[in-house]
Amino acid sequence: MSSEKNRFRSRTALVFLFALAIRILCAWPALWSYFMGDVDMESFMRPDSATYFFPARAFVETGKLTLDVGSDFPAVQRPPGYIFFLVAVIFLSCPPIIGCLVDALTIFPVALTGRRLAGRCAGFWAAVLYALNLTALANAPLILADSLLGFLCAWQVFFFVRAWRTKRLSDFLLGTVFAAAATLTKPVNLPVLLLIPFVLAPVLMRPWRKAAVAAVLAILVSSAMLVPWMLRNQSVGAGFVLDRNSGLTALHNTAAILARVNGTDGDTERAALEAEAEAAFAGKTEQYANLLELKMAEDDWYLARYKKTIFEHPGATAATHLFQVWILLPDLPDFLQNLGLRTGERGTLAVLRKDGPMAAFRHYMDGSYAAAFLAAPFLLATGVLYALTAAGVWIYLRRRRWTVLTLFAVFVLYYLAAPGPVLMPRYQIPALPFACALAGAVISVCGIRRWRKRRSCRRCNP
């Protein structure tokens, strides 16, 4: 038994080294330019990156969490998790490499989850599938919170799967701690945190008294981790919230609805909404005590405009907000940008919403498709992951394993549905750990000899 355990550990370590190597290699052109000093961090920045990187830089240089160096405006648009991660990383002078390392380290909780779900073979293949996932490796070096979120969500999933197997309160609470840490990294995890005491506790824990204790402790742990930051935001005038990004989200969602209604693209509608908001606040800036109050008022305006649009166009809202299958598209654009073969900001997302994936692919590749062949192995691995995950859901449905299906709904379906009309491939990253574990379970079952004689083994036969 110990030899098998050691073999599993050594194989997982090899997968980790492989994952780290391909993440660095697939971003090497940008990394080389960065190390040679030809360019600054711009190669790894995306439109959202400034809201994380500049506050982190300000904290390093001034000790204050503000929008940027020289600004007195408090940083409230994002929660603190990834910002303080960057603060630690900036001292090491290489955030892209650390991002690759963190994403490669994610294969360890993924492997452990697969092992708990269906044995060591499942854990090994789950790690391989994550290592080869195009979206994960393309986003690893970027200055964005998604890779760190995926790392924390992977540990969250592992501890809840282990809590299901062991019924230990300590495992359940560790899962809650990682869920709260993930929420402090990106608020998209907040609904998962709310489901822990009311869905996961009664489903995973037995007997009911232990489930009740787990639910209460989960609420206390979550509150202890989240409330201090919310109080900080309230003290600087931003309200008792995790972040103040709701207005920007409402802007993007409203633009998506109006683009569908008017037959235009999201960029056009977003520009029109921004002009409408500017006109609404023209000459009224003196009414607000400071820039933060003005920003909060603008957020409220965008939220009100969003609600109005929902009521006016419920059909278009449903069509753009309910599960969007295109969220599953691999992140080929960032992969090619890291290699220096393409540039960003081409309006591909607008083409995707309007004309579909093939038109978006042709628009982004701009007539030259040779570069896409570099991603072929990773695209194939991503397709295999999706097929095996679907097969795993079918197997568990047939066998009526409702606990695993509940975990799938919470840790996969929710993350895929949460972005709504904002079809950024990186938003699928927190769904990958459990999806890879489930896919690994299917491979494990298919690889078992004399499977029919071992049907009673719950671990080998999901």
Side-chain angles (χ1 to χ4, degrees):
M1 182 65 70
S2 60
S3 62
E4 292 181 2
K5 187 180 294 185
N6 290 334
R7 187 160 57 247
F8 172 76
R9 290 173 178 170
S10 61
R11 288 179 176 177
T12 305
L14 288 175
V15 176
F16 159 71
L17 293 175
F18 170 72
L20 179 60
I22 60 174
R23 278 152 177 74
I24 293 175
L25 287 174
C26 289
W28 187 248
L31 286 170
W32 180 257
S33 298
Y34 172 71
F35 287 133
M36 292 297 101
D38 296 334
V39 294
D40 55 14
M41 203 69 70
E42 285 298 318
S43 299
F44 306 101
M45 301 283 274
R46 297 297 182 266
D48 292 344
S49 300
T51 58
Y52 298 107
F53 185 73
F54 292 159
R57 185 175 64 181
F59 189 84
V60 168
E61 295 190 15
T62 68
K64 298 179 180 179
L65 200 59
T66 56
L67 276 184
D68 201 352
V69 178
S71 171
D72 294 326
F73 191 88
V76 295
Q77 187 175 350
R78 302 290 183 181
Y82 186 66
I83 293 174
F84 283 116
F85 171 81
L86 282 177
V87 168
V89 168
I90 285 173
F91 285 109
L92 301 176
S93 302
C94 194
I97 293 290
I98 302 299
C100 291
L101 176 63
V102 168
D103 193 65
L105 285 170
T106 304
I107 68 106
F108 287 108
V110 169
L112 293 172
T113 302
R115 187 184 70 175
R116 284 286 176 177
L117 195 62
R120 294 187 181 92
C121 179
F124 170 76
W125 286 110
V128 170
L129 288 169
Y130 188 89
L132 292 173
N133 185 267
L134 182 64
T135 301
L137 70 90
N139 281 271
L142 303 184
I143 309 300
L144 292 168
D146 301 276
S147 292
L148 179 60
L149 175 67
F151 175 76
L152 295 171
C153 286
W155 283 111
Q156 161 193 264
V157 168
F158 164 66
F159 280 113
F160 282 122
V161 170
R162 194 165 79 169
W164 167 46
R165 294 295 196 188
T166 65
K167 309 302 179 188
R168 291 199 298 251
L169 279 174
S170 58
D171 290 331
F172 192 88
L173 291 181
L174 281 171
T176 305
V177 168
F178 278 102
T183 305
L184 287 171
T185 301
K186 287 193 79 170
V188 69
N189 211 57
L190 182 58
V192 172
L193 197 62
L194 297 176
L195 288 174
I196 289 172
F198 305 110
V199 175
L200 294 184
V203 169
L204 302 182
M205 305 301 289
R206 294 288 187 275
W208 69 267
R209 289 184 181 85
K210 183 176 283 188
V213 172
V216 171
L217 290 176
I219 293 172
L220 293 175
V221 169
S222 302
S223 300
M225 293 183 66
L226 266 59
V227 168
W229 177 254
M230 298 169 73
L231 288 172
R232 176 265 180 187
N233 283 345
Q234 187 177 45
S235 69
V236 298
F240 190 68
V241 293
L242 278 173
D243 68 346
R244 293 297 305 185
N245 201 47
S246 55
L248 184 61
T249 303
L251 168 63
H252 285 284
N253 291 352
T254 308
I257 298 170
L258 294 177
R260 184 176 182 86
V261 171
N262 300 328
T264 58
D265 61 82
D267 293 339
T268 301
E269 296 295 342
R270 187 162 59 250
L273 286 168
E274 289 172 343
E276 188 178 338
E278 186 176 350
F281 286 91
K284 298 180 181 179
T285 55
E286 302 83 12
Q287 300 177 9
Y288 304 99
N290 51 52
L291 188 60
L292 182 58
E293 284 193 11
L294 175 60
K295 176 66 171 60
M296 291 174 63
E298 290 175 349
D299 285 350
D300 292 339
W301 186 91
Y302 282 123
L303 287 168
R305 186 69 173 84
Y306 180 38
K307 293 175 183 176
K308 178 184 176 183
T309 305
I310 291 174
F311 287 119
E312 289 178 348
H313 307 288
T317 301
T320 54
H321 282 63
L322 297 182
F323 183 78
Q324 304 292 299
V325 69
W326 307 131
I327 193 68
L328 295 173
L329 289 174
D331 199 352
L332 181 62
D334 279 316
F335 175 80
L336 296 179
Q337 285 178 240
N338 292 343
L339 290 171
L341 299 176
R342 287 292 181 276
T343 57
E345 300 302 306
R346 291 168 170 252
T348 307
L349 181 58
V351 177
L352 174 64
R353 288 197 187 112
K354 186 177 180 182
D355 300 317
M358 292 308 298
F361 177 72
R362 289 192 295 268
H363 172 82
Y364 186 79
M365 299 309 296
D366 197 21
S368 177
Y369 303 102
F373 286 102
L374 293 172
F378 307 115
L379 290 169
L380 177 62
T382 302
V384 169
L385 169 63
Y386 293 161
L388 290 174
T389 303
V393 172
W394 179 74
I395 291 172
Y396 279 99
L397 274 171
R398 281 191 61 195
R399 303 187 183 283
R400 299 181 181 180
R401 301 290 168 79
W402 306 120
T403 300
V404 177
L405 293 172
T406 300
L407 291 170
F408 176 78
V410 173
F411 294 129
V412 178
L413 290 184
Y414 161 71
Y415 289 121
L416 296 179
V422 185
L423 301 177
M424 295 291 184
R426 68 176 183 266
Y427 292 162
Q428 65 179 265
I429 289 176
L432 293 177
F434 192 79
C436 289
L438 193 58
V442 174
I443 297 175
S444 176
V445 168
C446 294
I448 291 175
R449 295 180 179 180
R450 300 175 183 176
W451 174 70
R452 292 182 180 277
K453 293 184 179 181
R454 301 179 64 179
R455 285 183 298 181
S456 61
C457 177
R458 293 176 64 88
R459 176 164 294 183
C460 297
N461 178 14

